[in-house]
């Protein structure tokens, strides 16, 4: 019997949470290995040499195989049949649904993740570390965040309750984990965005108790 | 007989070039439809309704199916057996090589693409449009670009001639197209980075004449 895949994560990291929830929902045989980013546990030589040369989370180690990047991990684990088919439908050849999930997962990097993640960093993380940005730069990322949340409301969720249709997929989970992070600096993405608001509730319902478990810190620290 | 997939692209766009080269090398049956971004051809209502609701390139239309995001397109076309197996090795189940290609393709969004693309925009495109950024902000993206090019040199290309090993894959083509764009503002990524320098030449050799064809404008306008 082979050892389970080791999953290295920190629930403060949005894609770490997404894969954590996806593994839970899929009943994946992974061994959870929490990594405390705040303590710099990812910055040791040992972590770099034995776990992830990029010194980031999430990442996995499967025997002698190391893999970083959450979405590459999702696909690898799906091919190992460790991901629920409804969340990432790889079995159907030339599946259009799979392509729509991929389209969202590729889209979110330079849109939702860049803007929500940067706003989180500039408005919550950096001030806590004594780093002060110019207000103009913060405003630029906040504006970009608004633009992308509006694309969620008016394009992705225009006609369907979930991002790619009537059912929850990995796309919804990745998107929601990114957006939840903004609560830490007191932002409510659902205000004036009824579709985003309803969708966040639906994603939470469809994935609980894992969603609340993964977001325990975010919800506790959130000012909302 | 079904109609060929329509490929909408502009060779000024880095991922458009990457997929253009990949289609050429693969002998893919696609119908090329150039879109002139500089003329705003992607901003019409017709383009939004009939081609891509996100109003960006590259994208494809396959009968009644529309798909955006270059890497989602790469995967969709690979499942249709329109992509050379060596470039994107999807046939081998649980392939570790495929995961390494995916790892790079997911990594590059918020690293190479964000930094090289932003530097290009701030140092070449925006000045041409009369937009002036603060020097401090430009410097921040230039620094980020240097950091990521150093990761190319010291991590991705540390032990192998290509990004994922001894053979060219889609990862190399995406990476090289992003880096070539920096030549437009007079930057030479290969200076003081001998591995990046040798790799760029190898990618060009392995993909020509398509590489030079796709980069005709970039090379012509480049100050190098």
């Amino acid at each position: 019997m082979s050892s389970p895949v080791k999953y290295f994560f920190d629930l403060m990291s949005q894609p770490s949470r997404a894969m954590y929830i996806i593994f839970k929902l899929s009943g994946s045989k992974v061994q959870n290995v929490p990594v405390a980013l705040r303590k710099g546990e990812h910055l040791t030589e040992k972590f770099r040499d034995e776990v992830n040369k990029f010194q980031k989370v999430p990442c996995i180690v499967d025997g002698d195989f190391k893999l970083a990047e959450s979405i590459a991990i999702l696909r690898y684990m799906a091919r190992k049949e460790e991901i629920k088919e409804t969340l990432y439908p790889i079995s159907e050849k030339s599946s259009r649904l799979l392509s729509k999930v991929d389209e969202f997962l590729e889209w979110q990097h330079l849109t939702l993740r860049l803007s929500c993640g940067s706003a989180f960093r500039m408005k919550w993380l950096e001030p806590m570390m004594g780093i002060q940005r110019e207000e103009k730069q913060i405003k630029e990322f906040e504006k970009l965040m608004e633009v992308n949340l509006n694309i969620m409301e008016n394009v992705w969720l225009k006609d369907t309750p979930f991002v790619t249709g009537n059912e929850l997929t990995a796309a919804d989970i990745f998107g929601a984990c990114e957006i939840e992070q903004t609560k830490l600096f007191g932002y409510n993405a659902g205000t004036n965005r009824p579709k985003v608001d309803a969708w966040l509730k639906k994603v939470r319902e469809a994935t609980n108790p894992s969603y609340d478990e993964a977001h325990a810190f975010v919800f506790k620290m959130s000012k909302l």
Side-chain angles (χ1 to χ4, degrees), chain A residues 184-201:
Chain A
L184 281 169
F185 56 88
Y187 186 78
N188 187 342
T191 304
N192 297 323
R193 293 187 192 94
K195 287 173 183 174
V196 167
D197 196 51
W199 166 75
L200 281 173
K201 290 187 177 85

Side-chain angles (χ1 to χ4, degrees), chain A residues 7 13-20 57-58 70 113 174 177-178:
Chain A
Y7 176 53
S13 133
Q14 303 90 312
S16 281
R17 284 202 298 273
M19 282 311 302
Y20 182 87
V57 292
S70 54
R113 176 148 180 72
F174 269 87
C177 287
E178 211 54 65

